[in-house]
Amino acid sequence: MADRSSSLPDLPILQFEEKIAETVEKNPVVVIIGETGSGKSTQLSQILHRRGYTKSGIVGVTQPRRVAAVSVARRVAQELGVKLGEEVGYAIRFEDRTSERTRIKYLTDGVLLRESLSNPEFNEYSVIILDEAHERSLNTDILLGLMKRLVKIRSSNLRILITSATLDGNKVSKFFSDCPVLNVPGKLYPVEIVYSRERPTSYLESSLRTALKIHVQEPEGDVLIFMTGQDDIDKLVSKLEDEVRSLEEGSCMDAIVLPLHGSLPPESQVRVFTPPPPNCRRFIVATNIAETSLTVDGVVYVIDSGYVKQRGYNPSTGMYSLDVVQVSKVQADQRAGRAGRTRPGKCYRLYPSIVYQDELPDVTVPEIQRSSLAGSVLYLKSLDLSDIDILRFDFLDSPSHDSLEDALKQLYLIDAIDEDGSITSIGRTMAELPLEPSLSRTLMEANEYGCLPQALTIAAVLSAETSLLPGRSKGTEKKRRHGPDLPDGSGLGDHIQLLQIYEEWDRNDYDIGWCKENNLQVRGMLFVKDVRKQLCQIMQKTVKGTLDVRTSKSRKERRDDYRNLRKALCAGYANQLAERMTLHNGYRTIGFKSQLVQVHPSSVLGTDEQGMYPDFVVYHELVTTSRPFMRNVSAVDMKWVVPILGKLEKVNVNKLSSGGYSQIEEGNDGKIAILPKEDVSPDNVLPANESRIQAARERFLARKAKK
DNA sequence: GAGCACTGC
């Protein structure tokens, strides 16, 4: 650590100061290829500060992660000898440490996007640096598109710098009309790459063998092993411990084996930062959290399985999945680089070099092509950029036609856009909220029914849900369902249970000990509390009265609230409703493309005397694991569903995507072309779908007659 | 009766 700060004047980037300043002076957009250790994150802002760019405005630097924004800002303040929060500051969610004097501002890309809602031309900034753009977060990609538009408007007084990786620097340059690309070398030690001769039959076994070989044959230095997930990590940790223990005493040095992944409690994560005792080698078995988010010192050997777990989204079915996929070359190189931070290292790739060359994709599929875009589309529509339409929006990598259509249909169903694709006043309010559109819509509907305080809690919990409820051990899962302490949703469903849990925590004065007793993740619960507070502050502007959690009520009043909440969820999740099959507990989703799905076994949704689930449910998420499941499910009334069926019949996707102008069409090159409005066929209204919805309506009437 | 890579507003 001390080494790094004393070597500060040698940072490679400083030798390029003149060149960088000159290029920025002459060009509105510059791409900087800065390898690890080049010092770009801390130095670019200071170079521009020295060259006077902070006189006419703020130099803003985005980071994809909160911790990075904070630590880099702290570092720069220290180097400039100023107090953090004054000339140099940072802004992340829940925490704004800037002042009127701030000239260099580090912020997460999400925060910069939010800022553009109130100031779409970023007028207070003289320079915007999009750092780590090669990570291609959804937010960075949207910002890249906005910046491309902005350079045309503010070419005289705005400078944009984009830092990227070697493999896609030219692509970014091309996107910005062939802007200059500057290469700044990094400060990594050489890393020798060792490939396997063959593909492993089991990369778990192969990692184990390689790790032991290193331990026996190689000089001291820690080993970082990249695996895909918790399961494999736990297995490898225990096998490795066994094998190391069985080695002959004194034949080699001691060893400690540590797991490292996101769902470990923070105190366990910290263990990887404490240096090992002397004559002891550490094996750190990690997910890709160790690829960028956490840096472990002392690593000299890296073992790369070549795989990563990656979230996917299928826009035509609305289904999420988590798949094990091959890493990209960028990722493989990033992993290898983890071995060369302190001295020359070695990286063992558990696959042949031909696989690296011929099979691995150059770069990871950007998040924008793997996510639901409802939120991003609504956000862009709310910016009211008169000169662009969402479907003309120029992305570095366009999302698919299906994905944009999926987003538009979803937004239409929840009244955020009208049938022509124009944003509604409801949509405008929704865009103000830092939530997925369905949750924003639920809040607005709940406000009409007088249950906003409860809906705020549900929205906050759902936006953090994965890290909230007990982990995967069987005992704790049982507790969720039958535990004496935790509420059960009164049979109405998971949304109601989540509300009840939070209210119970409130009654226990937000006690941390209470969370631990009930196996609730402390970090997650505290996050929920912060989110709820933030949502209250935003909603307070449009709402009269108190939004406190504590609203002492009678049993009858609570029952009414639960009913109204489920009704509000029905409006917010109009395209996430499902109808039960007549004879068993399977469901089919109601929507543009019906899917056969099941209630996730962890649900607390109740059944009737015959053991049957409710006729209609609203769900928060569809996930495909072993089978397609609905996660977080609550019962809804069929009479709330009927008006939505009517709306589904009316959707005309061509009109929606026209945005009032024209029709979209996907060309052979995958790019989206705009056709003149006259070419829109008037009767292209999803005929097959219509008959299916008609059938659903008939089934509904039959049910009604039976009752 | 199944299981959660990593971020972020």
Side-chain angles (χ1 to χ4, degrees):
Chain A
M1 290 294 272
D3 194 358
R4 228 185 293 158
S5 79
S6 68
S7 66
L8 174 65
D10 314 330
L11 277 176
I13 196 167
L14 294 176
Q15 297 156 22
F16 292 81
E17 172 155 356
E18 198 60 45
K19 178 84 182 155
I20 291 169
E22 212 174 88
T23 314
V24 171
E25 186 62 40
K26 290 184 194 142
N27 299 278
V29 186
V30 179
V31 173
I32 311 261
I33 312 265
E35 287 162 25
T36 314
S38 62
K40 61 182 162 60
S41 301
T42 54
Q43 302 308 310
L44 278 175
S45 61
Q46 295 185 62
I47 290 173
L48 295 165
H49 170 61
R50 285 197 285 276
R51 301 285 165 153
Y53 284 93
T54 46
K55 287 184 190 129
S56 54
I58 298 171
V59 171
V61 189
T62 68
Q63 294 291 324
R65 280 169 291 280
R66 295 160 54 91
V67 274
V70 176
S71 63
V72 180
R74 183 168 292 142
R75 181 64 185 260
V76 170
Q78 195 186 358
E79 286 178 15
L80 288 174
V82 299
K83 216 172 130 199
L84 185 63
E86 300 197 344
E87 286 84 352
V88 179
Y90 65 87
I92 57 177
R93 190 179 189 179
F94 310 131
E95 198 182 353
D96 183 351
R97 287 198 64 182
T98 60
S99 65
E100 280 155 28
R101 294 170 61 187
T102 301
R103 310 318 294 163
I104 296 176
K105 177 173 175 181
Y106 284 86
L107 67 178
T108 47
D109 44 19
V111 169
L112 188 65
L113 265 187
R114 285 276 140 201
E115 285 187 2
S116 87
L117 274 177
S118 52
N119 186 356
E121 291 179 8
F122 296 113
N123 286 311
E124 47 177 7
Y125 293 93
S126 58
V127 180
I128 291 172
I129 302 173
L130 300 181
D131 201 5
E132 317 289 2
H134 61 275
E135 289 188 24
R136 302 294 303 278
S137 74
L138 181 53
N139 287 337
T140 300
D141 268 22
I142 307 265
L143 281 170
L144 283 170
L146 289 177
M147 293 301 153
K148 179 161 183 177
R149 170 183 169 275
L150 207 51
V151 278
K152 293 174 196 144
I153 300 169
R154 288 192 53 198
S155 61
S156 62
N157 63 354
L158 178 70
R159 289 293 177 266
I160 293 161
L161 275 71
I162 297 148
T163 77
S164 192
T166 321
L167 276 167
D168 56 5
N170 287 331
K171 180 176 177 179
V172 179
S173 160
K174 211 171 155 197
F175 181 68
F176 286 102
S177 336
D178 293 310
C179 72
V181 180
L182 294 180
N183 272 282
V184 180
K187 237 192 121 178
L188 274 184
Y189 294 90
V191 175
E192 182 192 342
I193 308 285
V194 183
Y195 288 99
S196 294
R197 215 168 296 156
E198 291 160 22
R199 290 165 202 265
T201 43
S202 149
Y203 73 83
L204 208 116
E205 201 56 34
S206 176
S207 319
L208 181 67
R209 294 296 141 220
T210 311
L212 288 168
K213 206 176 92 187
I214 294 171
H215 191 46
V216 174
Q217 295 178 355
E218 298 284 340
E220 60 173 338
D222 295 341
V223 185
L224 176 61
I225 308 169
F226 284 102
M227 304 295 284
T228 58
Q230 194 178 337
D231 260 6
D232 288 345
I233 289 175
D234 290 346
K235 278 185 206 149
L236 183 58
V237 165
S238 85
K239 282 190 176 182
L240 200 50
E241 275 174 341
D242 288 350
E243 294 275 355
V244 164
R245 216 176 293 132
S246 71
L247 286 174
E248 203 178 318
E249 187 135 354
S251 66
C252 54
M253 67 183 97
D254 293 340
I256 319 176
V257 187
L258 297 170
L260 179 62
H261 52 81
S263 38
L264 282 177
E267 57 270 25
S268 308
Q269 286 190 17
V270 168
R271 282 164 65 201
V272 302
F273 297 110
T274 46
N279 198 35
C280 180
R281 190 200 299 278
R282 297 190 306 164
F283 291 92
I284 295 133
V285 189
T287 59
N288 57 338
I289 195 171
E291 209 175 277
T292 48
S293 305
L294 292 179
T295 299
V296 186
D297 283 325
V299 172
V300 179
Y301 309 96
V302 162
I303 299 175
D304 177 13
S305 64
Y307 289 97
V308 65
K309 227 177 244 184
Q310 192 172 269
R311 195 172 153 103
Y313 176 71
N314 180 342
S316 59
T317 58
M319 209 108 54
Y320 289 97
S321 58
L322 201 58
D323 315 298
V324 174
V325 300
Q326 283 188 315
V327 295
S328 63
K329 290 193 179 81
V330 169
Q331 271 181 300
D333 294 347
Q334 175 73 23
R335 288 179 173 188
R338 293 312 216 182
R341 297 183 62 87
T342 42
R343 59 183 157 107
K346 270 189 183 178
C347 173
Y348 297 80
R349 290 182 173 155
L350 304 180
Y351 44 91
S353 67
I354 190 93
V355 169
Y356 178 87
Q357 288 161 28
D358 295 351
E359 266 181 45
L360 298 194
D362 281 354
V363 296
T364 310
V365 177
E367 204 186 343
I368 198 165
Q369 295 180 334
R370 296 185 281 118
S371 319
S372 164
L373 296 180
S376 302
V377 168
L378 178 62
Y379 165 81
L380 286 172
K381 284 199 179 268
S382 78
L383 289 182
D384 269 334
L385 308 172
S386 53
D387 56 331
I388 60 164
D389 180 73
I390 168 63
L391 293 165
R392 295 171 197 253
F393 195 74
D394 201 353
F395 294 104
L396 179 54
D397 282 302
S398 272
S400 69
H401 186 288
D402 274 359
S403 182
L404 288 167
E405 264 189 14
D406 165 59
L408 289 167
K409 284 192 265 189
Q410 195 180 323
L411 290 172
Y412 170 72
L413 273 184
I414 59 176
D415 314 304
I417 58 176
D418 64 21
E419 55 186 17
D420 296 322
S422 307
I423 189 165
T424 60
S425 63
I426 291 178
R428 273 180 208 290
T429 312
M430 285 166 59
E432 299 273 325
L433 291 156
L435 290 172
E436 55 182 75
S438 304
L439 282 176
S440 305
R441 183 69 184 88
T442 302
L443 288 189
M444 298 184 65
E445 195 73 2
N447 189 32
E448 301 287 314
Y449 306 148
C451 56
L452 182 58
Q454 293 79 11
L456 282 165
T457 304
I458 292 179
V461 175
L462 284 178
S463 53
E465 210 270 327
T466 48
S467 52
L468 182 64
L469 282 162
R472 54 204 308 181
S473 86
K474 280 183 181 138
T476 54
E477 193 55 57
K478 238 180 182 157
K479 199 164 185 178
R480 181 184 176 187
R481 194 183 269 270
H482 307 290
D485 304 324
L486 281 185
D488 65 355
S490 312
L492 296 170
D494 303 302
H495 300 86
I496 303 303
Q497 185 203 27
L498 293 169
L499 168 68
Q500 291 170 338
I501 289 174
Y502 190 85
E503 287 179 341
E504 192 69 30
W505 190 38
D506 171 77
R507 276 192 287 278
N508 283 278
D509 298 316
Y510 301 106
D511 179 36
I512 304 283
W514 183 86
C515 294
K516 287 182 178 157
E517 276 163 38
N518 289 287
N519 263 311
L520 298 166
Q521 297 224 8
V522 177
R523 239 186 323 173
M525 292 298 279
L526 292 170
F527 179 75
V528 170
K529 196 176 162 202
D530 276 341
V531 172
R532 193 181 184 283
K533 190 174 144 202
Q534 187 190 24
L535 295 177
C536 282
Q537 285 166 352
I538 298 169
M539 286 303 281
Q540 206 80 63
K541 291 178 213 153
T542 49
V543 175
K544 293 182 282 288
T546 172
L547 296 176
D548 279 350
V549 184
R550 256 172 251 254
T551 35
S552 52
K553 285 188 168 177
S554 68
R555 182 182 293 234
K556 161 93 173 62
E557 283 171 318
R558 273 206 301 275
R559 211 70 204 178
D560 287 345
D561 279 342
Y562 294 161
R563 186 178 171 77
N564 286 328
L565 280 167
R566 288 179 295 120
K567 199 172 160 192
L569 282 164
C570 209
Y573 287 83
N575 69 331
Q576 293 176 210
L577 300 168
E579 179 193 11
R580 187 170 56 75
M581 311 294 212
T582 337
L583 299 173
H584 57 89
N585 265 338
Y587 280 81
R588 72 164 89 212
T589 59
I590 299 170
F592 302 104
K593 197 167 183 183
S594 194
Q595 302 290 312
L596 296 178
V597 295
Q598 289 189 308
V599 176
H600 196 278
S602 67
S603 175
V604 294
L605 182 69
T607 52
D608 64 14
E609 312 81 53
Q610 279 87 46
M612 300 307 270
Y613 278 133
D615 288 346
F616 291 90
V617 291
V618 60
Y619 58 86
H620 182 244
E621 195 174 49
L622 283 185
V623 288
T624 304
T625 46
S626 56
R627 273 180 292 169
F629 288 111
M630 300 181 282
R631 278 189 49 207
N632 285 319
V633 186
S634 288
V636 294
D637 265 24
M638 51 183 161
K639 64 169 170 283
W640 305 333
V641 178
V642 177
I644 294 163
L645 291 180
K647 210 166 174 194
L648 272 164
E649 287 174 50
K650 269 186 11 199
V651 174
N652 179 338
V653 73
N654 286 330
K655 248 184 124 188
L656 275 183
S657 53
S658 72
Y661 311 104
S662 47
Q663 183 193 349
I664 49 165
E665 192 161 88
E666 198 170 352
N668 294 332
D669 55 355
K671 294 256 176 184
I672 287 172
I674 311 293
L675 301 182
K677 195 172 183 177
E678 302 80 71
D679 290 355
V680 179
S681 158
D683 50 13
N684 192 353
V685 198
L686 305 169
N689 190 47
E690 197 171 15
S691 64
R692 208 185 49 67
I693 291 165
Q694 188 60 41
R697 175 166 272 181
E698 275 158 22
R699 280 197 307 278
F700 162 70
L701 290 171
R703 273 185 209 269
K704 202 171 173 184
K706 221 165 60 187
K707 295 230 160 160

